[in-house]
Amino acid sequence: MRPLFKFHGGVHPPTHKVESTRTPIARAALPSKLVIPLHQHVGNRAVPTVQVGERVLKGQIIGRPEGRLSSAVHASTSGTVSAIDMQVVAHFSGLPDLCVTLIPDGKDEWFPHSGVDYKQTAHSELRQRLRDAGIVGLGGAVFPSDMKSYSHKHKIKTLVLNGAECEPYITCDDLLMRERARDILRGAEVLRELLYAEEVLIGIEDNKPEAIAAMRQAVLDDGHGHMEVIAVPTLYPGGGAKQLIRVLTGIEVAAGVRSTEMGVQCFNVATAYCAWRAITFGEPLLARIVTVTGNVERAQNFEVLLGTPVEELVAQAGAKPDTYKHIMGGPMMGVDLPSASVGVTKATNCIIEAAQSAFPPPEPAMPCIRCARCADVCPAELQPQDLYWFAKSKDFGKTQEFSLFDCIECGACAYVCPSHIPLVQYYRFAKSEIWQREKEQQAAELARERHDFRQQRIEREKQEKAERLAQKERAALAAKPPAPAPLPVAAPAADLDNTLQMRVDADIARSNMQMRIDAAAARAKEQATAEQPKNTDALTPQQQAEIAEIEARRAKFHEIASHSGADDESPKHS
Amino acid sequence: MWSSPFITTPTSVSQIMLRVLIALIPGIALYVWYFGAAILVSLALASITALVTEAVMLKLRNRPIKPFLSDNSALITAWLLALSIPALAPWWLVVVGTAFGIVVAKHLYGGLGNNLFNPAMIGYAVLIISFPGHMTHWISPQELASTGLSFAEQLNYIFNGVLPAASALDAYTMATPLDTLKTQLHLGLSVEAIRDMPIFGYLGGKGGEIVAIGFAIGGIYLLLTRVINWVIPSVYLGTLFAIAAIFHLADPTHYVAPLFHLFSGAAILGAFFIYTDPIGSPTTRKGQIIYAAGAALLTFLIRAFGGFPDGVAFAALLMNICVPLIDAYTTPAVFGKKGARK
């Protein structure tokens, strides 16, 4: 038995996984339309490559990757592009994003495609294929997989395959592992090859015995020598990449550190599966497994074409009338969908139809009583009660001192809080405020630099002007003998003196200015070296993408922060 | 639209506080059994005062009254205070103490969650400093009292200050065992001789030791229901025992046995109900150890060398002040940022 490690804290919310695991994965019916967002991944939004009215084939690229960090988007089936416009997408912000709307023709006619034997193919080409196939992390992070399949200059020992699926309700990875274990492992083999990793550790929470058995059987059947399926204790958020890496290897990957620097890379099982399909068969990422559960007649997993409207998907599981909200993802970290008409994306692992009975609206917040239950369960070992206090009082410096950016927003703290304080909202609020401030500060720095530069230029021009003037004077003096001048004799001399004086003044002014500029530059440099690394410096591309989105939510947080609970100052006479 | 997480545990502040109240009941029941029903009167007076002052302060502070009045925190203050002072005392004593605790120590500091000091202990401190005379008359255990007061007579004294004809309060009350110990030691008696006096039982004072066991049972209930964690009670009692043992072993004629320290006064009540008040105690594990050990040390020092018979309340207040500092210095390293860990 491999010794397992523990991470601090964690919670045991009711899992509600049985409901959706009773039947095998079903293929979802072809929807009436597909609303395919062009930004389903971390990084730059894909650029549309099709026109309205154009007929596209299944698997044809409709959005090409833009820039280094981006991913391709494909037509999930054959049909006609009916619109390319801004539509509400499956995102917390509720903001619209560019989507391609496709009306399927029902023929499901494939675009010509072919795979390769990964053993015979250069790594760079394999990565290009992953990128062109739109393979991104399917555990929810949707980070482009080609960017993660480098070992860079770091030696990667361990590839962690994440089948933990710790969030309640979600069972898509469970079912995938039960039914398609062999392809998952083959995909893992490709990723291992790309990373030159020595071993593959497959972590699955021990509440999924069928999946563990299936994966173990597949390891044996296909003789994957350096793979091991490991049952990890069921403890939320044990499926967080950092937590799973910790449990399996004992390595703690701190915030702002890439796991590859510590010799570990982590992929979700579904990502490995799709990578295999993409490399070997040339099949782009067109569909994914989605758990439809909660307030439905038949909770189950569907293989769903990307872009399928959530309401059409839910209808196939038997929607019930008293659903009042649709949660994408799990109940701990999911997103309250702004509309049921949004299309399923690569990040959609689960749709929970929420009724008031199972998901009552949050109770009004009471003051923090410092019971520290949040600190007891925090997997990042933070002091959430302190972070809350500082975030609430907008003391953002203190929040950083208390490692706000190590918070993974797993929600364990808010889950156990007896005062029902929406703690995670406060942390998101503080993070977005800090990002905003740093951005403003950078802008101010730039402005200051420009100002200094302008000052320097003005000074230089003044100086040049003075010099030109002096030259002119000298030339005039040389041309005109002073003798016949009717003006006071002292004048030219005085003039000359003046000119000289001006030059001296300008020199002094210039050297003064230079000194001040140098001093300022030195100060700035000193500050830069003395300052802690900023949170906007060590951003993962994921965070960068988040920041932009978070900007949009800031207004909302202000609102939340201004009336978040009973303990806040109520506005007088309002 | 609200944001994740969309589920929470069913615990609430009012449920936690309710469990604390429930946990006090065994101790209160034994109190009634050994010392009579007068304590129920002070508990009722304190409760009414706490709820009324809480409501008034919430109103004045422009806060919603219902959620805060039903959080049960004011009742805990009331009950802890009532249990800390003599039951047979003028009605206004417990009223003044409770009102001061709720108004000044709790609401003037910002209400629930923001009070630096334990409001009940502030109430106690105010009473023992302002009305020391009333604070020394503890009802004698019924097995010792030659002439007990009936409940009606107790009520008559509490509300009208009238005792049965030709009797003095001293006939029905006595000093606490800790107080007696301290006084008699000053008079030159040895611990052994003092412990032979009838008011002492096996562990602490007669009756009082059993009440303490009742509070310990409640404390275990709180541990089992995870309302409190084991750190503060065990470190507090353990440290108190250890310090008392050292002194007792060094000089048994002047320093009483360690078990006596645990089972007399408010040590057990403090260990499970007062020091564990989350608002006034550190949030870090290490901090809780320091806090509890400090409180035990102060309790012992005040009992052995101070001017007051018991040190639990003042130790609580003194340690309350240290909490921000303790928390600041004991914040643990976060995930991935500590040294190699096994």
Side-chain angles (χ1 to χ4, degrees), chain A residues 92 246 252 325 331-332 334 336 368-370 373 380-381 383 385 406 415 418-420 425 428 567 569-570, chain B residues 1-6 9 11-13 62-63 113 226 278-279 281 283 323 327 332 335-338 341:
Chain A
F92 173 79
R246 163 80 192 156
E252 289 190 4
K325 99 186 17 265
M332 297 297 285
D336 180 7
C368 170
I369 57 165
R370 292 170 41 86
R373 281 167 173 71
E381 295 168 73
Q383 299 293 308
Q385 75 282 359
D406 288 60
Y415 175 71
S419 293
H420 308 296
Q425 284 187 20
R428 289 189 188 129
D567 64 317
E569 292 283 348
S570 45
Chain B
M1 201 154 131
W2 88 86
S3 78
S4 60
F6 302 102
T9 45
T11 50
S12 65
V13 173
N62 207 10
R63 298 300 153 105
R226 307 237 172 144
I279 299 164
S281 60
T283 51
V323 166
D327 270 342
F335 183 87
K337 292 188 180 165
K338 47 190 160 289
R341 190 175 76 168

Side-chain angles (χ1 to χ4, degrees), chain B residues 230-272:
Chain B
W230 57 271
V231 177
I232 291 177
S234 56
V235 172
Y236 176 77
L237 295 174
T239 311
L240 185 60
F241 185 91
I243 298 171
I246 293 167
F247 276 86
H248 177 66
L249 291 174
D251 184 1
T253 55
H254 286 99
Y255 297 100
V256 69
L259 272 182
F260 180 83
H261 272 286
L262 298 194
F263 285 93
S264 53
I268 297 277
L269 186 66
F272 292 104

Side-chain angles (χ1 to χ4, degrees), chain A residues 226-297:
Chain A
H226 23 239
M227 290 198 187
E228 191 181 340
V229 178
I230 300 158
V232 299
T234 300
L235 177 63
Y236 179 85
K242 285 164 190 258
Q243 280 65 42
L244 188 62
I245 290 172
R246 163 80 192 156
V247 168
L248 293 178
T249 67
I251 294 170
E252 289 190 4
V253 182
V257 177
R258 287 190 181 87
S259 68
T260 49
E261 289 172 33
M262 309 188 84
V264 193
Q265 183 60 291
C266 183
F267 281 99
N268 176 266
V269 286
T271 316
Y273 171 79
C274 293
W276 172 252
R277 305 294 304 178
I279 298 292
T280 312
F281 305 101
E283 286 176 15
L285 182 50
L286 305 181
R288 67 157 297 149
I289 315 295
V290 181
T291 308
V292 181
T293 184
N295 192 37
V296 289
E297 301 284 351

Side-chain angles (χ1 to χ4, degrees), chain A residues 26 35 158 161 183 202 235 285-286 398 405 459 480 495:
Chain A
V35 184
T158 309
L161 206 57
D183 280 356
I202 303 153
L235 177 63
L285 182 50
L286 305 181
K398 274 283 193 188
F405 286 89
E459 200 52 46
K480 279 186 199 161
D495 223 23

